[in-house]
Every structure is written in structure tokens, then in C-alpha cells.
Amino acid sequence: MARSNYVFTSESVSEGHPDKVADRISDTVVDAFIAADPEARVACETMVTTNRIILAGEVRAGKPGNDKAQNKAFTKDIIASLQPKVREAVKDIGYEQKGFHWEKAKYACYLHGQSAHIAQGVDSSAKKDEGAGDQGIMFGYACNETPEQMPATLQYSHNILKRLAEVRHSGERPELEPDAKSQVTLRYENGKPVEVVAIVVSHQHAKKLGDKNYSQARFAEIVKPIAASVFPAGLITKKTKWHINPTGKFEIGGPDGDSGLTGRKIIVDTYGGAAPHGGGAFSGKDPTKVDRSAAYACRYLAKNVVAAGLAERCTIQISYAIGVAVPTSFYVDLHGADTIDPAILEAKLPEMLGGATPRAIRTHLKLNRPIYARTAAYGHFGRQPDNEGGFSWERDDLVAELKGLA
């Protein structure tokens, strides 16, 4: 039986964390290819370190009516156009430091053509539907702890860093630099968050805090009220422990302080450890990769189940075989809710996504659009759908149909 009284922790990292810089660059590449060809294939890995940006991976793009040579040239042209887009992404994050500068960092690109053997399994033909880009398992989760239907520990961790980024970008707090991490520990009673046990913020900073030298106490005076503002009234108490830059100074940060790689923050990207994870990262992958698209689909379905009032928590698992369109399994866990038999949802939810094949998911959620760079920081879930089609998997448009099943 699930525990109802416990203490739980989740963490987040800022857009300027080295791994998130890498994710942003990889998703900038995805957007560039999909903008040129909505059916493009991209698997882009990025490494960033002291004044170095390195791209590697497989890509494919083309235009209807082009022959193989023309499409190869078309793909080559997209690759050639990437460097200014990558530098602009780093500039947007805010890196103009001696050890990592958007304009001065050395850039190397090793993207090459997609493996023909992978392509033959994924591509549709007269005899078969588009297959999954790889085998694997993906999970989706939703709960009613927050208005975003996300775990509260993770949502508040994200919100702290988003708020700090806002005051940094606006110029209100010029002492703040891009690299940061947060961590929130909550005490739960009867499965609901009732108290903030601890808040940790480690934030890169300028050498001076205005006209004063840096000190840990002065920096805490800047950060604490900003972090506290994201919590509902009453959650922070006199007992709440604060750890602001607990190691002291944090001047050297970002890729100059530690190298960054695409796909190393998968728990930050998803549910903060409150739900299972299949293991596959999202960033740098086009939506034919089920690591990404099927995880989005599972979140979409789980969120609608919770929004429909069928459960307080919902976990969904889906699995695929490489080159095969139809999922090999589909599982729903309502965590003890008795409003509906999970077996009914296991039968009906895939139908709501056209069988949950890779192509059906991409079509239903309209994923073949350049909407991915915006997902690279502060989580892929718990976000507001936007006018350009971003975060379409956060819609709750299945609620009425799901209520009819109960």
C-alpha cells in the first residue's frame, strides 16, 4: 500500500547549466531541420566545455521531387546554416563570459547522414506503416499536487529557477549569471504537500554584488525572497531550512566550470523522480523517435485522465519494437483509484491516439513543427500550450470523452 505521510525531494537546473546548454543547442538543430523539412530526421548530440561547442549525430532532410543527390545537397545546406543559430541560442541564454562566450567559442560540427539500415526500419512504404525509430519503453505521469498536474517538488524547483532567470534577463538582478541549480524538499500528509522542509539554490554570480564584494550572506538576501515568492502561502515555515550557495562562491560556472552533454538531465526533464523513466532522453531527437514523441503522448494521456477526475495520480507505460508501428504493450496505473477499471483505459486511450503508432502520435499532437528549443529548460511537462503549437501534449482536450467512460 502506498505511503501517505513522507518527505520527498526533486531538483531542477537552469537554462545555463552545462547540460541544458547542450540540450538547447541540440533542440535548436532539431528546429532548424524541421523548419526546412517537417519530415526531417535528426539525432543530434552536443558537447560544450571551455569555449568549445561540438555537434555530432545523424540527420536527413529533403524536398518532394528531389533526387538523392539534391537531397544530400539540401541537407548539407541546412548543416552549413546551423552555426549562427547555435551561437544565437547561447547568446539568448546569456553566456558572454571569458571561459564561454556565444561569439568566441570554437564551433565544430560532425553531423552526417542517417544510417540506411535505421531508415529502412522507420520509413513507411506501400507495405508497412512508419515504424518506431528504436525499441524502448516510455512513461507518462500526472498528479493533482499542482495546477500544472505535476509533482510539487519538481514544479517548485522549476519555478524558482524560472523566476531567477526572469530577473536576470530583465536586468533587475545583474548579479546573477546563467548557471544554477535548485532543490525542494516537501513534507506530505495524506499524500498532499503541507510544508517546505528545505530549499537549496546554487547560483552562479558576478564577482561583485552591486557596489559590494560577494558574500554568502549578501547573496542569500538577494535569492531568498525571489525563491520564496513561487510557493503558496503557508508552505514555507520557520522550520524551513535554506541552503543558498552552500559551498560559498560560485563564480566559475556553465561549460567553463563543467562540461555539458545532451540528455544528461532526464529526471529534471520529466517528473523529478516521482514517476518511472524509460531511460531515453528527449532533446536532439526529431518526433519519429518514440523516446520523445511517445513520452509526450503518455504525458498527454495521463494528464487528461487526472484532469477528468478519474484518478489523483496516473502512470502510463508504452513500449515499441524498432521498425514496428503498433506498440508492443500499453499499461495504466491509477495508483489505487477505483473510479474506473484501468483495463478500460488500456483499451480506450490508445484508440484516442489512433492506435498510438508513431505516425498517429505525431499527427494528433502536430509534432512536425519547429517547437523543440523551448522545451530544453525547466521541464518538458507542466507547461502551457502556446500559439505556435509548442507543448501540444499539455492540452486537456480529452477530458469530456474520458468522463464518459466512468
Side-chain angles (χ1 to χ4, degrees), residues 9-13 151-163 181-185 200 230-231 378:
T9 302
S10 295
E11 70 162 351
S12 182
V13 299
T153 49
L154 178 66
Q155 192 63 51
Y156 297 141
S157 295
H158 285 328
N159 291 351
I160 287 171
L161 295 181
K162 283 192 284 186
R163 181 66 188 129
K181 300 180 78 170
S182 64
Q183 185 172 283
V184 172
T185 301
V200 183
V230 310
F231 291 90
Y378 313 118

Side-chain angles (χ1 to χ4, degrees), residues 286-298 358 361-362 365 367:
D286 74 79
T288 67
K289 277 71 170 176
V290 286
D291 276 344
R292 183 167 219 161
S293 56
Y296 289 176
C298 287
I361 290 170
R362 289 194 295 123
L365 297 178
L367 297 179

Side-chain angles (χ1 to χ4, degrees), residues 10-88:
S10 295
E11 70 162 351
S12 182
V13 299
S14 73
E15 65 196 278
H17 185 281
D19 295 330
K20 282 289 139 201
V21 175
D23 284 345
R24 172 71 176 272
I25 291 170
S26 289
D27 277 337
T28 296
V29 172
V30 173
D31 283 352
F33 270 87
I34 290 180
D37 172 14
E39 297 291 332
R41 303 289 166 80
V42 184
C44 176
E45 309 293 342
T46 300
M47 176 183 176
V48 289
T49 186
T50 302
N51 275 329
R52 296 285 193 284
I53 301 170
I54 303 167
L55 275 59
E58 297 185 330
V59 293
R60 188 185 78 185
K63 281 188 173 181
N66 278 3
D67 60 27
K68 188 178 290 187
Q70 288 172 318
N71 281 336
K72 188 174 181 180
F74 180 68
T75 301
K76 200 170 181 180
D77 287 343
I78 300 172
I79 292 173
S81 75
L82 292 175
Q83 184 173 169
K85 295 180 174 69
V86 167
R87 293 191 183 279
E88 186 60 33

